[in-house]
Amino acid sequence: EEECKQLNLFSEKDGELVRFKEDESGLEVTLDTHLYRPSELDLHVKEGKIMITGRHEEQDDKKTVVRQFQRIYSLPAGVTETDVTSDLSADGVLVIKAKKPAALK
């Protein structure tokens, strides 16, 4: 167990998460996805949840390296799939917004 701590295994740090904000206007998640191509990212909204996944694979003659992540966030009360938007910047910053309808603010 001590060896795992020294090797920094099972670290709690969330490498992709830049910012998470939830307030009376809704939810906003900002992720650093610059290590992934747009085609390697997937975002689904269903059953009251936002699911973001990324998977990148590199291989050569001797090894295969796979990098992946998955994040699942619950939508705020009153927010539906149609209230969710996302934007991926050229430098790989993914912003997902789930705005509450004006009547619920």
Side-chain angles (χ1 to χ4, degrees), residues 67-81:
R67 177 185 329 109
Q68 61 187 9
F69 74 91
Q70 179 179 46
R71 303 287 178 273
I72 300 173
Y73 299 98
S74 294
L75 290 175
V79 176
T80 66
E81 292 179 22

Side-chain angles (χ1 to χ4, degrees), residues 7-87:
L7 293 174
N8 204 22
L9 300 178
F10 312 113
S11 173
E12 295 293 319
K13 183 166 178 355
D14 187 343
E16 287 81 22
L17 184 65
V18 174
R19 188 176 77 175
F20 176 87
K21 181 178 96 172
E22 186 171 5
D23 58 22
E24 66 279 346
S25 67
L27 172 79
E28 184 174 317
V29 179
T30 304
L31 299 172
D32 177 5
T33 60
H34 78 277
L35 297 173
Y36 301 86
R37 294 182 196 102
S39 63
E40 298 172 329
L41 298 169
D42 190 38
L43 185 134
H44 286 321
V45 182
K46 67 178 185 177
E47 298 175 3
K49 298 197 182 300
I50 301 170
M51 183 166 56
I52 309 122
T53 57
R55 180 178 169 85
H56 175 77
E57 189 170 321
E58 296 176 25
Q59 56 187 26
D60 60 25
D61 294 338
K62 299 183 184 200
K63 68 180 182 298
T64 299
V65 177
V66 177
R67 177 185 329 109
Q68 61 187 9
F69 74 91
Q70 179 179 46
R71 303 287 178 273
I72 300 173
Y73 299 98
S74 294
L75 290 175
V79 176
T80 66
E81 292 179 22
T82 58
D83 300 317
V84 178
T85 61
S86 65
D87 182 56

Side-chain angles (χ1 to χ4, degrees), residues 90-104:
D91 59 351
V93 176
L94 177 62
V95 178
I96 301 108
K97 295 180 182 179
K99 295 291 184 188
K100 288 184 181 177
L104 295 174

